[in-house]
Amino acid sequence: MLGRYRRLARAGVLGLNKRNGDYILRFNPRRLYPLVDDKLKTKHLALKAGIAVPELYGVMETQHEIRRLPEIVRDHAAFALKPAHGSAGDGIVVIAGRSGSRYRTVGGTLLDEDALSHHLSNAINGQFSLGGVPDVVIVEYMVRFSPLFERISFQGVPDIRVIVFRGFPIMAMVRLPTRDSHGKANLHQGAVGAGIDIATGVSLDGVVGTEVVTHHPDTTHVISGLQVPDWDVILDIAARCYELTGLGYIGVDIVLDRDLGPLVLELNARPGLAIQIANRQGLLRRLQLCEARADFSAAPQARVAFAKQWFQHPVGPMIEADEVAAAVA
């Protein structure tokens, strides 16, 4: 067992303790966490910095304000409801249209006003928030995902996670909802994770759990070899999110809207390590390479150029997905 961990460490796999001690504690001051744990604060920061996000339609802060929902969405047949302090997609409801007086979710479920109000009440009470604290609900634009993902996604909205270290994008993956994940782009709930070559923006093979897959399990279309549109824009946005928050080790979640292009969904101050499983590559090697060679005073454009030069896939040896999973559990 000890030999395997040493071998994986030599291969550049970042474990949980090292991530927490050497990167999160070292580069993410806790006083800055509210900037990313509160999605409403993140949205306002991004707008101020000129970074595109889904349009904000309104906010419901109290139980009394739930009755304002019809007024907030009067001009929007489709919209998303999101707890500001939620995590892992819990509590998010995406309304794709109406059927009479009822709301139709993106999955086809019809909700009457009472059912939706009950859900919103639970969200404001903190049922879906980090730590169970009282929350507010964001009402925002419903993303229409890029046609690229129509053949490799089941319902839900695929997103792109980029790990950014002190302003340098170092690893990326696309998360593809499946039937098992109930349309959520969450790897722990059964979504497909597929690495993306930082240098080119081309997708690699995917994984479901620790099983390597070449085709989406529901749509059966090939996952690898797809060129992600606006890749340079995505890297630029991810790099600029460092200045947005001051956090040195973050996960940046971006969606590709078919009409609006890349939009920032949220930032994460404690990004998970499963991205290494999706890439079958270690983060530690890239972090150390960055610390040894990067100019941390460089502008975002230069940081993106550095990332594309040094993090062309593969960086170091490929590692079996189940071995990476065992190391990061």
Side-chain angles (χ1 to χ4, degrees):
M1 178 70 76
L2 186 60
R4 183 174 69 173
Y5 281 111
R6 285 175 175 168
R7 178 166 53 80
L8 290 171
R10 285 196 298 272
V13 176
L14 181 66
L16 192 62
N17 291 337
K18 195 167 186 63
R19 180 203 68 169
N20 292 344
D22 290 0
Y23 295 99
I24 291 181
L25 282 176
R26 188 174 160 206
F27 294 108
N28 288 357
R30 290 197 65 84
R31 62 183 171 78
L32 299 179
Y33 278 27
L35 301 181
V36 298
D37 286 347
D38 184 336
K39 296 176 179 63
L40 189 57
K41 284 187 177 180
T42 306
K43 187 183 285 286
H44 287 313
L45 281 174
L47 288 170
K48 189 176 180 181
I51 294 175
V53 294
E55 181 183 351
L56 180 65
Y57 293 157
V59 179
M60 290 176 285
E61 299 182 352
T62 65
Q63 299 287 342
H64 180 73
E65 291 182 332
I66 293 173
R67 68 182 65 179
R68 291 181 50 237
L69 180 63
E71 176 191 341
I72 293 172
V73 300
R74 182 177 55 205
D75 298 327
H76 310 287
F79 56 90
L81 299 164
K82 183 182 297 183
H85 292 82
S87 65
D90 291 341
I92 294 176
V93 174
V94 180
I95 301 297
R98 316 283 175 88
S99 179
S101 62
R102 295 185 293 180
Y103 297 96
R104 178 168 45 80
T105 71
V106 72
T109 302
L110 291 175
L111 299 174
D112 60 26
E113 287 194 12
D114 286 345
L116 193 56
S117 295
H118 181 68
H119 178 85
L120 294 172
S121 177
N122 288 338
I124 290 172
N125 281 337
Q127 181 174 327
F128 311 110
S129 67
L130 292 166
V133 297
D135 206 351
V136 303
V137 175
I138 298 169
V139 188
E140 68 179 23
Y141 170 80
M142 185 194 82
V143 174
R144 280 82 170 171
F145 60 80
S146 166
L148 171 73
F149 296 122
E150 287 181 355
R151 293 180 300 172
I152 54 170
S153 182
F154 180 82
Q155 298 181 346
V157 178
D159 69 7
I160 293 167
R161 161 67 61 88
V162 184
I163 299 295
V164 179
F165 176 58
R166 301 177 69 185
F168 289 81
I170 61 170
M171 188 175 280
M173 67 173 169
V174 59
R175 300 183 292 194
L176 306 167
T178 64
R179 187 187 303 274
D180 286 346
S181 74
H182 304 288
K184 293 185 177 180
N186 188 310
L187 302 193
H188 296 295
Q189 293 174 311
V192 174
I196 302 175
D197 183 355
I198 285 279
T200 63
V202 173
S203 63
L204 312 172
D205 283 341
V207 294
V208 177
T210 60
E211 179 188 357
V212 177
V213 295
T214 57
H215 296 68
H216 191 279
D218 300 310
T219 70
T220 72
H221 282 280
V222 173
I223 294 169
S224 65
L226 300 175
Q227 176 66 59
V228 177
D230 297 319
W231 183 239
D232 284 353
V233 176
I234 290 171
L235 291 180
D236 178 71
I237 289 173
R240 291 166 59 202
C241 284
Y242 173 52
E243 280 82 5
L244 198 68
T245 63
L247 292 163
Y249 184 84
I250 55 174
V252 179
D253 294 344
I254 296 173
V255 290
L256 272 175
D257 186 86
R258 72 184 184 199
D259 301 317
L260 305 175
L263 305 172
V264 169
L265 270 191
E266 62 183 74
L267 308 181
N268 194 315
R270 318 163 192 80
L273 296 168
I275 194 170
Q276 298 177 111
I277 304 172
N279 280 268
R280 283 171 285 154
Q281 290 267 286
L283 276 166
L284 185 58
R285 183 181 296 273
R286 301 184 187 210
L287 288 163
Q288 292 173 337
L289 200 159
C290 208
E291 289 192 276
R293 296 180 179 274
D295 173 8
F296 290 105
S297 65
Q301 188 176 20
R303 301 200 299 260
V304 169
F306 176 94
K308 294 179 73 172
Q309 177 184 354
W310 289 98
F311 302 139
Q312 181 173 14
H313 181 80
V315 180
M318 296 294 289
I319 311 165
E320 295 296 332
D322 57 347
E323 286 201 302
V324 181
V328 303

